[in-house]
Amino acid sequence: MEYAALADIYRRLEATPADLEKTAIVAETLAAAPRPPEAAEDHLPLLATLVRGNAFADWEGDELGVSSSLTRQAVVKATGVDADELDAQYRERGDLGDAAAWAVENRVQRTLVSETLTVAGVVETLRSLPGFEGEGSRDRRVDAVADLVADADPDEARYVVRTVVGAMRLGVGEGTVRDAVAQAFLAGAEDADSDDETAVAAVERAHQVTNDFRVVATTARDEGLDGLRGLDVELFRPIKVMLAGKAEGLASGLVEVVGGDDPEGGEVDGHGGDEGDGGDESNGAGDRDDVLVEYKYDGIRAQLHKDGEEVRVFTRRLDDVTEAFPDLVRAVREGVDVETCILEAEVVGYDPDTGRSVPFQRLSRRVKRTEGVEAMAEEIPVVAYLFDAVYVDGDTLLDTPLRERLDRLDGAFEATDLDVEAAERVHGPSDEAAAELYEAALADGHEGVVLKNLAATYQPGSRVGYMMKVKPTMEPLDLVVVGAEWSQGRKSDWLGRLHLACTADSADPRESTDSTGSGFVKVGRMFSGLTDEQLVEMTERLEPLVVEDRGNEVVVRPKVVVEVEYEEIQSSPRYESGFALRFPRFLGFRDDLGPADADALSKVEELYEGQ
Ligand code: AMP
């Protein structure tokens, strides 16, 4: 098939804004895909991704590795146009493909032997690009793209360049291709239940498990609905992960995640965050037995594929990062004792000296590493907190409820010395127990909790509400530390629980509540978010400021200003301010601020009103 014919199809897709028409054009393209004996190779797998401007299937996660500046060089090289003029065209048209079409139209040089571009040839070149590595690889990429542009007419150049830079702008999404595959190969099939909806659902499902429209389209064409239904998860071909929704707060999330109504204003007055004395069971619908509450770790989501000794690690974006995590691979080999599986984990980096987890930003330095990976693994070792199993020993578990998936997960591994563990979790908790876990997660320096529906199946790629995150997200406040309590246990030498205050000016002068006349009123107590070093530093800063020692509690001169995030502001009689922060969490010292610069009560009131 000549590339010019594909360029024609692109032009038609671009010309119509109507989704149905786009679907019809894609369906027609796929249905008419040349194959042997008419063509040397089956074009359906090529066209199935090209209709969206991709040379790779979704799961391959590969990027071509050609930036727009390299592509500009390639266009200049192929056409001989002036680089500045090309840039001017690019600026004017706002699209590098259009600028390339202009360049080809106005080319000042021509190759001696020009070849007709074919679909298969273009795909072959594009797929070779990520493989160029090492010295001179940029030049080789430029040359490869330049060769394509040199053989292209203006239209072909437009679409080749758009494909290279990954900006097709055809308005053809996954849904379009899904519907088109159904239309092209399944419409009117003899099968009794092959109405459109069934066909579309079967294609969708097949794409969810394979992440590969090449496989889906050819199976639909060659084996119909039955074939599609037979497609399954495969090891080392990552599936799309199930995504989390966001809960308004812990209370509503606990109800919503099991399909209950959001209890209006129904705060779980759990003993969370600050105080409260434990709440009743939630008042909304939904079965609490089906609720799972799990720590939300701040790391990298990893899909771990294992087949015997072979282990590969894929990110949420389906990139293969196995080479960057040799330690994780070893841990999985050692800790996971089923032969084959696909498990999901959040991979968290920790400080080897203190054992405390490090922020995601530090861990992310490991992801793109190709050199010195073992040294990095020592500097920032990782723990994999396992939280789901999608495939174990030959069984695909996508349609299995989470409750059973977790049983399979628990049966699949043994916690090894720090490196592979189950995510901290509680099944069917009371409001109070849920709040406790949330609090503990924050106190351990994690992001919050994830709520899950234990009766729900795994929905790849969707945000269906079977999984909801809860974390403190309100606008942070700058507050003054006015008191503190000694920690317990291992950290008993440190002032841990901090009493936080804002400045006392209220929006309503009648509500001046500052009985001590210190100029500050308390809004909560915080004991989470500080690393061990920060706890030591906090203690060192506060000790000289102590004005009153009450045994386990001290009052300090208001001097230290901290930035704090929290989930919610509650109205509370406990403090003079009339407010209490729920689940406050330390973000950092604000050494640039004096105590008088801390946020005022009027701001807290405003935020309370606005939430
Ligand atoms: P977000 O990225 O804020 O949408 O939150 C969802 C992400 O939280 C997931 O993609 C995981 O990477 C991460 N996560 C951390 N802990 C868990 C857990 N226990 N279960 C599921 N996802 C988790």
Side-chain angles (χ1 to χ4, degrees), residues 503-546:
T503 61
D505 100 74
S506 164
D508 181 348
R510 284 166 308 171
E511 287 180 10
S512 178
T513 49
D514 176 19
S515 61
T516 60
S518 70
F520 297 94
V521 285
K522 283 193 203 171
V523 289
R525 291 182 303 172
M526 170 177 76
F527 49 90
S528 63
L530 288 101
T531 63
D532 286 358
E533 293 84 60
Q534 286 165 335
L535 273 175
V536 172
E537 183 178 350
M538 185 64 84
T539 307
E540 281 168 2
R541 286 186 186 217
L542 293 180
E543 277 191 310
L545 302 174
V546 171

Side-chain angles (χ1 to χ4, degrees), residues 244 294-297 301 316 346 387 423 450 452 467 469 471:
E294 222 165 55
Y295 270 27
K296 183 177 195 303
Y297 301 94
R301 185 165 184 166
R316 166 184 182 154
E346 187 79 357
F387 60 78
V450 187
K452 299 182 183 180
M467 174 164 141
K469 57 190 171 189
K471 54 182 186 179

Side-chain angles (χ1 to χ4, degrees), residues 24-99:
I25 296 169
V26 174
E28 181 194 310
T29 304
L30 300 180
R35 60 173 155 164
E38 176 200 339
E41 70 177 293
D42 187 355
H43 279 59
L44 185 55
L46 307 178
L47 293 170
T49 61
L50 281 177
V51 288
R52 288 178 60 211
N54 298 331
F56 291 95
D58 290 340
W59 69 268
E60 292 179 301
D62 272 315
E63 294 187 8
L64 298 179
V66 187
S67 62
S68 56
S69 95
L70 286 191
T71 311
R72 292 207 307 267
Q73 287 176 34
V75 173
V76 168
K77 185 159 188 180
T79 60
V81 297
D82 181 70
D84 290 339
E85 253 185 277
L86 178 69
D87 283 349
Q89 289 291 331
Y90 181 21
R91 274 195 303 276
E92 192 184 316
R93 295 162 190 250
D95 181 290
L96 195 51
D98 290 349

Side-chain angles (χ1 to χ4, degrees), residues 267-272 275-281 430-433 435-436:
E267 281 159 12
V268 180
D269 197 13
H271 98 198
E275 53 262 72
D277 37 14
D280 305 328
E281 280 301 305
S430 64
D431 286 347
E432 191 183 8
E436 246 169 49

Side-chain angles (χ1 to χ4, degrees), residues 242-250 252-259 292-294 296 448-453 464-471:
M242 180 153 84
L243 301 172
K246 187 170 177 308
E248 286 292 319
L250 185 60
S252 53
L254 284 169
V255 177
E256 223 180 304
V257 75
V258 283
L292 179 81
V293 185
E294 222 165 55
K296 183 177 195 303
V449 287
V450 187
L451 311 176
K452 299 182 183 180
N453 184 335
V464 273
Y466 295 158
M467 174 164 141
M468 307 185 85
K469 57 190 171 189
V470 188
K471 54 182 186 179

